[in-house]
């Protein structure tokens, strides 16, 4: 029998079939991507797509909230539990909106905010010059030490003392080492700033207890829900009780109208999944896989920023290989290995044609790959970098990747057993 989509929109059906094949037949190593469970996928595509729910549980502007109120309350309680936070807001459409909501709850437009620059591993919304956040706030940007690739907390403090920001943002999109949120919190206190921590990349590792949580040291914590946390594409905010009202107001009505209830429902499911031993095991394996892959890549002469990784991602500085990030990423993609080109600290090249490559292990770990497969994958990287213009080698690696992928099924059917899901009942 034809599915509804196949019947009514064969073009889109065909394209989605192609995308499904791409996702199963490639090594997806963009560190911000993952595969969600069947339960999360089902909630994302549920009847809640049809519902408006402006407001918050018990205080909505539309009727018919008998179910939505219960779902949102569940999502909030699950978030508070697993992150051990006083308050959670699960309505942000994305991590970008969550960050902007955090700033707007804490400071006025024109005030100074201080975050990690994009070219040093920060996010656009941490005050990068091309972002709205640098237009409405006075943005001061810190970097990493160009030699070590790591944060120099003394320098960050000196910059904070010079500019006296009202908000200091910790967190990154391309930083392979543990972040000391406690020090960020202390620096913020010393200069009278609020501390906003963006843990979009590492929130799954934080929940699993593998990366220290910023919750005790930050006024507000923001995260996306779809990276290591393995939920649908969305955003979330956690904060201390004193900021709860301001955060809720900043999200709605400050920045958004009706929450995307289907996404919010899927976030609730993902949060329940994250409260299971299976999730902790997955998160541990993500980090083990990254460490092993880093070790092997370095054995093959790849220069990793900071000399390795503590988390789920790596940044390769390709300058010693005589290849830029973009052609390498494109050659890898032709061999069915999907990464992204990225700037590296002190990069003389521009962000659109930088010297580095960013890669990570969340999605391939969700597929069930372990250290043994990381050794094989490192070998693929070596072959491609040495044969960047050799199509037949690239095609041969592509066939080997496909074979490897065929041994690790795409988990669009993976299910966390309900008996291990403390929150499901
Ligand atoms: N675009 C995301 C990433 O890939 O890291 C950051 O939000």
């Amino acid at each position: 029998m034809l599915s509804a989509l196949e019947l009514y929109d064969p073009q889109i059906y065909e394209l989605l079939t192609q995308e499904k094949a791409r996702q199963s037949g490639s090594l997806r190593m963009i560190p911000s991507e993952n595969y969600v469970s069947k339960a999360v996928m089902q909630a994302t595509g549920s009847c809640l797509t049809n519902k408006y729910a402006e407001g918050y549980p018990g205080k909505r502007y539309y009727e018919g909230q008998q179910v939505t109120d219960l779902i949102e309350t569940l999502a909030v309680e699950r978030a508070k539990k697993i992150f051990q936070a006083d308050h959670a807001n699960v309505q942000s459409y994305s991590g970008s909106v969550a960050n902007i909501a955090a700033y707007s709850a804490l400071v006025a437009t024109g005030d100074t905010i201080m975050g990690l620059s994009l070219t040093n591993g920060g996010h656009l919304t941490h005050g990068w010059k091309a972002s709205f956040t640098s237009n409405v706030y006075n943005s001061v940007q810190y970097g990493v030490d160009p030699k070590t690739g790591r944060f120099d907390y003394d320098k960050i403090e000196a910059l904070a003392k010079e500019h006296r920001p009202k908000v200091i943002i910790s967190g990154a999109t391309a930083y392979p080492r543990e972040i000391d949120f406690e020090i960020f919190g202390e620096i913020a206190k010393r200069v009278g700033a609020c501390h906003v921590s963006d843990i979009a990349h590492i929130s799954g590792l934080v929940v699993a207890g593998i990366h220290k949580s910023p919750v005790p040291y930050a006024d507000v914590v923001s995260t996306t829900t779809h990276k290591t946390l393995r939920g649908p594409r969305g955003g979330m905010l956690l904060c201390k009780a004193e900021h709860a009202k301001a955060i809720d107001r900043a999200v709605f009505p400050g920045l958004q109208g009706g929450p995307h209830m289907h996404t919010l429902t899927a976030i609730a499911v993902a949060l329940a999944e994250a409260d299971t031993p299976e999730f902790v095991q997955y998160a541990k394996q993500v980090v083990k896989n990254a460490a092993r892959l880093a070790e092997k890549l370095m054995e093959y002469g790849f220069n990793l920023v900071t000399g390795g990784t503590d988390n789920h991602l790596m940044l390769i500085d390709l300058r010693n290989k005589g290849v830029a990030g973009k052609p390498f990423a494109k050659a890898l993609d032709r061999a069915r290995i999907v990464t992204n080109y990225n700037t590296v600290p002190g990069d003389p090249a521009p962000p659109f044609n930088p010297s580095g490559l960013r890669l990570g292990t969340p999605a391939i770990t969700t597929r069930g790959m372990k250290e043994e497969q990381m050794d094989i994958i490192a070998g693929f990287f070596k072959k491609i970098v040495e044969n960047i213009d050799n199509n037949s080698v690239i095609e041969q690696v592509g066939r080997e990747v496909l074979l490897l992928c065929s041994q690790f099924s795409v988990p669009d059917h993976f299910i966390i057993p309900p008996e291990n899901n403390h929150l499901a009942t």
Side-chain angles (χ1 to χ4, degrees), residues 30 32 123 173 201 224 227 340 358:
I30 293 173
S32 44
H123 188 254
T173 65
H201 265 261
T224 52
K227 297 185 173 101
N340 68 273
R358 189 183 69 150

Side-chain angles (χ1 to χ4, degrees), residues 166-184:
K166 292 265 180 72
V167 163
I168 294 181
I169 306 143
S170 64
T173 65
Y175 189 70
R177 294 297 180 178
E178 172 120 19
I179 298 174
D180 196 328
F181 295 121
E182 190 172 358
I183 294 189
F184 269 106

Side-chain angles (χ1 to χ4, degrees), residues 212-272:
K212 219 189 219 177
S213 171
V215 169
Y217 313 111
D219 293 280
V220 179
V221 174
S222 81
T223 183
T224 52
T225 45
H226 50 271
K227 297 185 173 101
T228 49
L229 192 56
R230 219 163 56 176
R233 297 191 75 96
M236 198 164 77
L237 287 155
L238 309 156
C239 67
K240 304 225 179 293
E242 67 195 273
H243 301 302
K245 268 197 182 141
I247 282 291
D248 284 350
R249 266 197 224 114
V251 175
F252 173 86
L255 289 167
Q256 297 186 174
H260 294 170
M261 286 309 298
H262 56 308
T263 303
L264 196 157
T265 305
I267 289 173
V269 176
L271 293 171

Side-chain angles (χ1 to χ4, degrees), residues 5 89 100 125 142 144 180 236 310 321 403 418:
L5 190 58
N89 182 301
I100 295 167
T125 56
Y142 60 88
V144 293
D180 196 328
M236 198 164 77
D310 296 332
K321 294 284 186 190
L403 189 65

